[in-house]
Structure formats: structure tokens, C-alpha cells
Amino acid sequence: DGGITQSPKYLFRKEGQNVTLSCEQNLNHDAMYWYRQDPGQGLRLIYYSQIVNDFQKGDIAEGYSVSREKKESFPLTVTSAQKNPTAFYLCASSIQKGYEQYFGPGTRLTVT
Amino acid sequence: AQSVTQLDSHVSVSEGTPVLLRCNYSSSYSPSLFWYVQHPNKGLQLLLKYTSAATLVKGINGFEAEFKKSETSFHLTKPSAHMSDAAEYFCVVSEQSNFGNEKLTFGTGTRLTIIP
């Protein structure tokens, strides 16, 4: 089965802790993306990566960090600097930037 | 700068009746347009895409959309709603500028409810 996996589905953390969300794809896609979704809003881009060892900030990168050491993996770290981390986080990939994106099932992060 | 406006935040239709979800966009260049569907607590699934070929685009599950440049619209339709169509729908615009930059902009979503 080809696709994008995100783990875990639900994640709970205490305020002040860093947390890393996993995203893996076996579609052989070059580009990968992280989005944040809040109720009643569209998706907002956090970071994206066009190739291995390269990534760029999206619209709301503050308080987040990423790495792209392998083509199939693009983990997102939500740091304690992120003021409102509770949200639904979606990872996506595409053959290249500009082509349609395929989404993972998402991780719902709750920080208390 | 590009933008997307989904004109209705919530649409309710009876099962078996037509569905219309409205989307208007603005773009400085020739855009690509997409519709995605999201079921509760799930990722987004691509329904259909327009990339400057035929203006009437057919997608999965009986959905289709028509690109109307003069009206800057890309409305999503389906002739007969099914209970399984109940979900959130997102209209997305992607434009490729002459400088090689590309960006996806998502609408705020339309929640479709199907009445039995």
C-alpha cells in the first residue's frame, strides 16, 4: 500500500514540553509539507521541503522546526515557543512542488 | 496575491438532491484549482483538479467542477447527494508565477450536511 502515515493519531502533552510528530511517505515524492488546521479555518502551511536536506518556512513557522534527512520522512517538532500548539496537524506530499498534494490522516495534538 | 473564497460555510441538502458548493478565487497568473474532501478526524482526499485543460472537470464519487475564468469561479457540483458525501470540502488554488514561486492557498471550507 502506498501512502502517507502519521503517528500518533492523538497526542497529549503538557505546556512547556517539545513534541515531535512523525510523517512518513512511501510514494517516492520529492516534496513534503506540514499544515495546521484549526476549527473553522482552512489549512495553514507551517513548513515545506522540496528535496532532502532542504526546507523552507511557510506562513506560520514560528515555534516549529523540521528536518528532512531522508526522502520518505519529514518530522515536525512543536516547541515550547509555539503559543497555541493545540491543533490538528496534517502532513502532505507531492511529486514536486506545485502538483496535487496527498495527505496523511493527521495528528491531533492537545497541550494542557 | 492569490485568494480563495468559499461562499458558504455550511450547506444542507436532502439525500438524492443536487449539491452545489461555491468557490471564487483570485489569481495573478494562470491558476491550478483543486477540490479536497475531509471526513471527520481524517486527512484530505483529492476530489478533482483543474490544470488548464478542459474547463469541466470530473472527479471521484460523481463530483464535477467547472472552471469559469470570466466569473473567477470553480464551483463543485454533484447531481444526487448521498449520505456518505457528508464531510468538509476545501477549494484550493495554486498559482505558478513567472518567478517560479508556487503556493497553495486553501479556502476556509464548506461543511456539507445530508438530510435523510
Side-chain angles (χ1 to χ4, degrees):
Chain A
D1 270 344
I4 302 175
T5 56
Q6 291 185 245
S7 61
K9 190 172 176 67
Y10 298 95
L11 192 54
F12 298 88
R13 280 293 182 271
K14 295 227 180 276
E15 199 173 315
Q17 293 179 335
N18 291 355
V19 59
T20 297
L21 281 59
S22 165
C23 177
E24 305 277 330
Q25 55 100 357
N26 60 5
L27 300 168
N28 200 32
H29 285 173
D30 283 323
M32 296 186 75
Y33 312 80
W34 273 106
Y35 293 90
R36 172 187 172 129
Q37 186 178 26
D38 295 282
Q41 299 192 34
L43 276 65
R44 293 183 289 167
L45 182 65
I46 304 171
Y47 268 97
Y48 66 94
S49 167
Q50 297 189 68
I51 54 172
V52 174
N53 292 323
D54 178 72
F55 48 83
Q56 306 292 331
K57 292 182 179 180
D59 298 321
I60 54 166
E62 187 176 347
Y64 299 97
S65 66
V66 293
S67 63
R68 186 87 187 276
E69 296 176 3
K70 298 186 295 182
K71 187 175 185 178
E72 58 270 22
S73 179
F74 191 42
L76 173 75
T77 296
V78 184
T79 76
S80 55
Q82 168 49 232
K83 292 189 174 66
N84 295 299
T86 294
F88 190 49
Y89 290 87
L90 287 159
C91 178
S93 71
S94 62
I95 294 174
Q96 294 176 11
K97 195 163 181 286
Y99 288 76
E100 65 266 27
Q101 296 181 13
Y102 295 84
F103 286 80
T107 292
R108 187 166 297 282
L109 173 65
T110 302
V111 177
T112 57
Chain B
Q2 63 188 28
S3 66
V4 179
T5 302
Q6 291 185 242
L7 297 161
D8 306 292
S9 59
H10 191 196
V11 170
S12 292
V13 301
S14 296
E15 190 177 15
T17 65
V19 175
L20 170 63
L21 305 184
R22 298 183 294 164
C23 173
N24 286 105
Y25 71 93
S26 69
S27 173
S28 304
Y29 304 95
S30 297
S32 296
L33 292 155
F34 309 87
W35 275 99
Y36 284 86
V37 60
Q38 183 181 32
H39 291 277
N41 293 311
K42 302 284 188 188
L44 277 68
Q45 180 184 18
L46 181 67
L47 274 179
L48 50 80
K49 62 180 179 181
Y50 165 79
T51 54
S52 76
T55 56
L56 182 62
V57 182
K58 292 191 185 299
I60 62 171
N61 301 334
F63 284 95
E64 62 182 37
E66 186 171 8
F67 175 71
K68 291 187 177 180
K69 187 174 182 178
S70 60
E71 298 176 13
T72 61
S73 69
F74 190 58
H75 301 335
L76 182 71
T77 60
K78 182 173 180 177
S80 176
H82 191 273
M83 294 302 295
S84 61
D85 295 329
E88 187 100 19
Y89 292 79
F90 292 95
C91 181
V92 182
V93 62
S94 170
E95 66 176 17
Q96 183 78 40
S97 75
N98 290 337
F99 303 103
N101 297 319
E102 179 274 337
K103 180 181 176 181
L104 282 188
T105 300
F106 286 77
T108 52
T110 298
R111 181 166 299 278
L112 177 63
T113 299
I114 311 298
I115 304 164

